Amino acid sequence: PDFLSNKYCGKPNYKSPEIAHKARSFNAKSNDIWCLGICLFMMIIGSNPWKKASIKDPSFNYIMNKENKDALIELFDSWNRLDYVDGKIVVLFQSIFKYEKDRCGLSEIQRCSWLSSRIDCNY
């Protein structure tokens, strides 16, 4: 079930569009998925995908544009980070970096091929 909230907090580059635009209420679980996506992006790529989740931010607008399915690939290529990713993580990012109504949920993330393809780190 959804967990609706209206408490706005967080750093500008981690905030979901719903938080950045102070939606009347938002799904806190979906917001957490967004924030974890930002953290994962930063760990893998080494930088923020944008400064603020706003249509005024060119990088945000470019990535969130539904018409350009290759936006992340093009962005990684322009940043010389294409060799940091594979198609599986790009699909995961694409499913996370969507507006709340279209964003993936935890069950979709648990089933994503990127997670199931990771090596076993138990030594």
Side-chain angles (χ1 to χ4, degrees):
D2 292 344
F3 179 72
L4 295 180
S5 179
N6 61 0
K7 299 188 187 224
Y8 311 104
C9 63
K11 304 277 185 209
N13 51 353
Y14 288 86
K15 289 181 181 180
S16 67
E18 301 79 35
I19 299 286
H21 300 297
K22 297 201 180 215
R24 180 171 296 201
S25 65
F26 59 91
N27 182 333
K29 289 179 181 181
S30 181
N31 183 70
D32 288 347
I33 288 171
W34 177 278
C35 295
L36 288 171
I38 297 289
C39 291
L40 182 61
F41 187 99
M42 292 172 68
M43 288 189 298
I44 292 173
I45 302 302
S47 67
N48 299 321
W50 46 72
K51 292 181 181 168
K52 185 177 180 182
S54 167
I55 58 171
K56 294 178 182 176
D57 185 303
S59 293
F60 174 83
N61 216 17
Y62 187 69
I63 291 171
M64 297 295 285
N65 182 351
K66 290 182 181 182
E67 303 300 316
N68 187 356
K69 301 291 184 202
D70 294 325
L72 281 170
I73 297 289
E74 293 168 3
L75 184 68
F76 296 146
D77 190 33
S78 72
W79 290 353
N80 294 317
R81 298 285 193 278
L82 199 51
D83 56 336
Y84 289 29
V85 298
D86 61 19
K88 294 175 181 178
I89 191 65
V90 170
V91 168
L92 179 58
F93 286 141
Q94 288 171 331
S95 66
I96 291 172
F97 298 143
K98 292 185 176 187
Y99 290 100
E100 183 178 85
K101 67 180 179 57
D102 297 321
R103 194 171 304 140
C104 66
L106 188 55
S107 60
E108 290 90 0
I109 292 173
Q110 290 172 322
R111 291 190 310 266
C112 84
S113 60
W114 183 77
L115 283 176
S116 64
S117 68
R118 300 295 93 193
I119 58 171
D120 182 11
C121 294
N122 295 326
Y123 295 97

